[in-house]
Amino acid sequence: MRARSEGGRNAPGMLFMLVSFAPWIAYWFLCGMGSSLGVAAGLALSVTVTLLQAWRSALSIMDAVSLLYFSVAAVSTYAFKAKGFVELSGFLGYSTLFLMAVASLLARRPFTFQVSKRDYPEVYWRDKTFLFINNVIAGLWAAVFAFNASVYLAVASPLNAVISNIAVAFGIAFSIVYPVKALASLYSKEYKRYDWRVEVDPRRPKGEGEYDVIIVGAGLGGLTCAALLSKRGYKVLVLEQNYQVGGYCSSFRRLGFTFNAGVEDVSGLWEKGPVAHLLRELGFNVEEFFARNTVRYVFKGEAIDAPDSLEGFVELLAKRFPGESGRVRAFFEEARKAYEECYRDAEAYGAPLPAELIAKVFGEKKLLDYPREHPHFYDWMNKTFKQKLDEFFEDKDLKAFLSALLSYVGAPPDKTSAAAALTACVSYYLHRGYYTRGGAQKLVNALKGFIESNGGEVLVNRKVDKIIVENGEVKGVKVGGKVFRSPIVVSNVNAKTTLLELVGEEHLSRSYAEYIKSLKMSPSCFMVFLGVDMDLTGYPTLIKNLDEGYEIVVNSNADPNLAPKGKASVTILTSADYRDFPERGSAEYLKKKRELAEALVKKAERLIPGLSERVIVQDAATPKTFERYVSMPEGAIYAFDQSIETKRPFFKTPIKGLYLVGASTFPGAGVEAVVISGIICANDIRGWKKWRYARWPGVERFFHSPRRFSVKH
């Protein structure tokens, strides 16, 4: 909360408020002693302050009113020998300031606004919260001024000065404390009732069937949480209904060909990326699990191969859209700054945090300082992606091209938060995307092995029938006829299934149950998996046909081991509507599945000639397939709708001890996002304790240190 001075040093806005009060302080002090010099001093200081502020182009309403008041007072006192401005200095002065404050409120320009602008970046000036806080503070000062005016009428000197000064001190204290408390309350009040704490002691011996934490569903978010907790000594049990772990982040083999069930392009692997953080934290080598993707776009009938660097990509766009070249560079420079600001504090806990957690973990002041410390990202947070594109560009084709990766969000530009587009889409231009070496199953199997090697249990083919709740608190889960006990259950299952089926509406308030029911599911997709007798190494890993709305993934180009030598593993995918498919397994369903697969292969064949003639293995997945194997309602690939119209559930539920991880909660869907959710959940269970590392050759020791509220999301 600082204003930049010419010398480069920061001066707090409250200092300027005190400077604006200086003429009045001198005026009241001297006039209180019966001296008319108070008027002269007030005028002299007011002129000085006004000239100084005008020179800085920062003249406030209060400065202008002060100059007018003392000019009139000087004329009345020295030209007409009147004594009113001296004898009634307290009443007249405070009455004038009261009228000034009220007028500024009526004009919707609270007089505190000019001071607050010194403390915040311009991006925050139009924020409704900022304006609301200024209105409240200006209103409080109006009340202080009115009170002090009445004090000078009703109370004799010197007691009136003492009382008025106490009121002013209260106003100053309120102006400092209220913005911090108000903002924290605004973002936290909705979740305060869910911010319970369950203490678990990993060192306490556990009985048979008793655990510190139980994870329901072995998706990537749940496995992330389980791995981090098991490393810290927690006794963890992971239960998965399928025959293997991973959920959407899994893979399968057919006659030597390996295909991913959903993961094709992964972000979060740059220096501060959450996926890279997770792997480092667990002692894994990033390069062992990920290979950089190569990408080709088909746009307006032309194939465009994306360069392997941000600089190259920017130059490519600048040449293709010469009229927008300068704006292309400006857009990506701002995007880079905004993205880095998003992850500015991520190293503290391994992931960026939502507003309510920033206040809790780093302290309320951190939340108030967020716009100043993250001005570019804050701007993206408060606009749609369409607004951001329109801010920079005029060319419709360029905007359409830059919206191509919104398929990773599943919402159009005008319904997508610019911040979501930045982290889920534009980030691929900034730091590139990656494919999973050995298939996605290799990654999740490594997490499974890590959990088990640290004393945890991961059980597959174990469908949880019920999450046991007693008196509003989690007690464990029921699997068939067996009960597993734990005071903490983390559900990686979709929130609708978790809360409405596994918990049951009887344990939820009516309003919360209706909220969960109202959540709209995201789109789904249709996928065709092909093992082909072709050498496709001349093609990139990803071919995104923006003209026809489908994507080809040559899996074996990212990792040759995903197909027999000389052959290729290929996935073709496009968006699909769950409601378009008949009942799974019916003759109508099988017919539609076959017809859609044939049509999609024919489309792909226009980009890879001869594809259909060289097929060795073919399979397909529909939204009903995903619903069956991942227990995802409507086969949604991003869980809930990811547009600005949907508010995802908080990661803590109204049931004490029940957490949500995965795509259902913050920050949403995708490998990077669900890893973030797992990191956040593990940190909350541990009480937001930091860990620092000390390294010696061949030895890594972990030292526990308590949570610190360092002001450095």
Side-chain angles (χ1 to χ4, degrees):
M1 296 181 59
R2 297 288 186 264
R4 181 69 63 184
S5 67
E6 274 199 9
R9 291 181 296 179
N10 291 331
M14 187 56 68
L15 176 62
F16 288 91
M17 176 69 87
L18 293 175
V19 168
S20 294
F21 260 113
W24 295 97
I25 294 171
Y27 169 59
W28 287 322
F29 177 76
L30 292 172
C31 287
M33 299 173 62
S35 174
S36 62
L37 288 176
V39 175
L43 179 62
L45 287 172
S46 181
V47 169
T48 302
V49 169
T50 300
L51 292 174
L52 176 65
Q53 303 289 53
W55 177 64
R56 296 174 59 90
S57 300
L59 188 65
S60 69
I61 298 172
M62 185 172 175
D63 296 328
V65 168
S66 298
L67 180 61
L68 177 62
Y69 177 88
F70 288 115
S71 297
V72 172
V75 171
S76 175
T77 302
Y78 300 120
F80 295 101
K81 307 300 180 181
K83 297 182 179 180
F85 281 96
V86 176
E87 295 176 350
L88 297 174
S89 61
F91 172 73
L92 292 177
Y94 279 116
S95 295
T96 299
L97 292 177
F98 166 72
L99 292 174
M100 177 271 300
V102 171
S104 73
L105 287 169
L106 293 175
R108 297 184 179 181
R109 295 283 294 179
F111 77 97
T112 58
F113 185 69
Q114 194 70 31
V115 174
S116 298
K117 285 168 65 175
R118 304 173 190 274
D119 292 340
Y120 294 92
E122 187 173 352
V123 67
Y124 197 36
W125 296 353
R126 296 175 296 278
D127 190 283
K128 292 181 180 179
T129 304
F130 179 71
L131 297 175
F132 174 79
I133 290 174
N134 270 275
N135 280 321
V136 171
I137 294 175
L140 182 279
W141 277 109
V144 168
F145 295 148
F147 173 78
N148 283 354
S150 64
V151 165
Y152 272 92
L153 276 183
V155 181
S157 178
L159 187 58
N160 53 14
V162 173
I163 295 174
S164 64
N165 285 336
I166 291 174
V168 169
F170 171 77
I172 292 173
F174 182 86
S175 300
I176 294 172
V177 173
Y178 176 73
V180 177
K181 297 295 183 182
L183 198 61
S185 175
L186 178 69
Y187 282 103
S188 303
K189 67 178 181 180
E190 185 175 355
Y191 304 112
K192 280 267 187 180
R193 52 186 169 165
Y194 306 151
D195 197 18
W196 34 256
R197 173 89 182 118
V198 177
E199 293 289 345
V200 175
D201 183 1
R203 296 166 297 183
R204 184 182 67 81
K206 310 297 184 301
E208 184 179 354
E210 184 183 8
Y211 298 86
D212 293 317
V213 180
I214 294 175
I215 315 286
V216 180
L220 185 55
L223 291 172
T224 295
C225 180
L228 293 172
L229 291 175
S230 67
K231 178 178 179 178
R232 308 308 183 196
Y234 288 78
K235 185 180 179 184
V236 177
L237 171 65
V238 182
L239 298 166
E240 168 58 43
Q241 69 159 359
N242 204 355
Y243 70 94
Q244 62 180 11
V245 300
Y248 280 128
C249 189
S250 61
S251 52
F252 60 94
R253 290 175 62 84
R254 296 285 188 273
L255 299 179
F257 296 91
T258 300
F259 307 96
N260 280 354
V263 174
E264 314 297 346
D265 205 9
V266 178
S267 61
L269 285 157
W270 64 300
E271 181 185 356
K272 292 186 179 180
V275 182
H277 164 84
L278 173 67
L279 293 176
R280 288 195 302 266
E281 177 79 357
L282 302 181
F284 293 130
N285 188 333
V286 174
E287 288 72 25
E288 180 184 350
F289 291 95
F290 291 97
R292 181 171 287 189
N293 277 328
T294 52
V295 185
R296 174 177 298 167
Y297 299 96
V298 178
F299 185 65
K300 301 294 182 181
E302 185 179 351
I304 304 170
D305 288 323
D308 197 34
S309 67
L310 173 62
E311 294 75 15
F313 186 73
V314 169
E315 290 306 313
L316 181 148
L317 292 181
K319 290 178 181 178
R320 293 190 65 83
F321 302 95
E324 302 270 26
S325 59
R327 290 187 285 270
V328 166
R329 294 183 177 90
F331 173 82
F332 279 101
E333 177 60 20
E334 179 178 309
R336 182 188 61 77
K337 291 178 180 177
Y339 190 74
E340 290 177 355
E341 287 172 2
C342 173
Y343 286 90
R344 175 176 176 174
D345 304 310
E347 68 272 14
Y349 294 102
L353 307 179
E356 59 272 8
L357 282 180
I358 291 173
K360 174 181 177 178
V361 173
F362 292 107
E364 295 173 339
K365 180 72 162 51
K366 183 70 170 179
L367 188 59
L368 186 66
D369 287 344
Y370 195 90
R372 178 177 58 83
E373 295 181 350
H374 310 75
H376 300 92
F377 185 63
Y378 190 83
D379 187 43
W380 285 67
M381 288 171 63
N382 290 280
K383 293 177 180 176
T384 65
F385 192 48
K386 181 181 185 301
Q387 289 173 322
K388 207 63 191 171
L389 291 174
D390 290 344
E391 185 179 305
F392 281 88
F393 308 118
E394 296 179 2
D395 193 295
K396 292 182 180 179
D397 287 346
L398 175 56
K399 288 188 279 190
F401 185 81
L402 290 175
S403 299
L405 295 186
L406 285 183
S407 59
Y408 292 171
V409 176
D414 62 330
K415 299 294 184 183
T416 301
S417 159
L422 174 69
T423 55
C425 307
V426 180
S427 60
Y428 286 90
Y429 303 131
L430 301 177
H431 295 291
R432 314 302 295 161
Y434 292 76
Y435 193 88
T436 48
R437 291 187 189 274
Q441 200 65 47
K442 178 182 177 181
L443 172 64
V444 293
N445 282 349
L447 296 179
K448 175 178 180 289
F450 183 92
I451 295 164
E452 292 171 335
S453 67
N454 281 273
E457 295 179 51
V458 182
L459 305 179
V460 296
N461 294 314
R462 299 292 200 283
K463 185 180 186 300
V464 171
D465 299 308
K466 205 70 179 174
I467 294 174
I468 302 170
V469 177
E470 297 175 6
N471 300 318
E473 298 182 10
V474 157
K475 298 299 179 182
V477 301
K478 185 178 181 181
V479 180
K482 189 168 184 179
V483 171
F484 298 96
R485 293 283 176 182
S486 174
I488 295 177
V489 171
V490 177
S491 180
N492 199 170
V493 181
N494 179 262
K496 281 192 175 183
T497 304
T498 298
L499 293 159
L500 302 179
E501 297 179 20
L502 298 183
V503 169
E505 291 186 52
E506 66 272 17
H507 295 292
L508 307 172
S509 68
R510 182 176 179 181
S511 60
Y512 188 81
E514 290 302 316
Y515 156 64
I516 295 297
K517 289 179 184 178
S518 72
L519 291 170
K520 179 184 175 184
M521 303 308 295
S522 76
S524 188
C525 73
F526 181 79
M527 304 177 73
V528 177
F529 309 99
L530 301 176
V532 295
D533 187 11
M534 299 177 72
D535 181 355
L536 300 181
T537 53
Y539 291 87
T541 309
L542 307 180
I543 305 174
K544 299 176 180 291
N545 191 325
L546 308 185
D547 296 338
E548 297 186 79
Y550 69 89
E551 179 175 340
I552 302 172
V553 185
V554 187
N555 311 290
S556 49
N557 281 353
D559 182 353
N561 294 318
L562 300 182
K565 189 174 181 180
K567 299 177 174 58
S569 168
V570 178
T571 303
I572 315 168
L573 59 156
T574 188
S575 60
D577 191 325
Y578 175 84
R579 286 164 285 276
D580 289 341
F581 290 83
E583 183 180 351
R584 184 173 176 272
S586 66
E588 294 82 0
Y589 171 84
L590 295 174
K591 179 183 177 183
K592 186 174 184 65
K593 182 178 178 181
R594 183 175 61 255
E595 290 174 347
L596 285 175
E598 291 174 356
L600 199 54
V601 171
K602 285 183 180 179
K603 283 185 178 181
E605 199 165 27
R606 293 198 284 268
L607 300 179
I608 305 178
L611 186 66
S612 64
E613 300 170 3
R614 310 294 291 275
V615 174
I616 301 172
V617 173
Q618 179 170 325
D619 204 344
T622 74
K624 297 281 176 94
T625 310
F626 302 132
E627 183 180 53
R628 164 66 179 83
Y629 287 100
V630 190
S631 291
M632 180 64 71
E634 300 181 19
I637 51 176
Y638 306 123
F640 299 127
D641 168 61
Q642 298 201 112
S643 73
I644 55 176
E645 298 172 346
T646 299
K647 181 179 68 175
R648 274 173 152 70
F650 190 47
F651 75 109
K652 289 168 124 173
T653 72
I655 308 299
K656 186 176 181 180
L658 178 60
Y659 287 91
L660 300 175
V661 294
S664 290
T665 187
F666 174 87
V671 167
E672 179 179 9
V674 300
V675 164
I676 290 173
S677 78
I679 291 172
I680 287 175
C681 188
N683 275 313
D684 196 80
I685 291 171
R686 296 181 57 245
W688 295 99
K689 299 169 184 174
K690 285 187 180 180
W691 291 76
R692 64 179 184 267
Y693 303 92
R695 297 178 183 272
W696 291 272
V699 180
E700 183 181 65
R701 297 183 181 177
F702 296 89
F703 293 87
H704 175 270
S705 63
R707 172 165 58 107
R708 296 188 180 91
F709 294 101
S710 57
V711 179
K712 292 190 32 183
H713 224 3

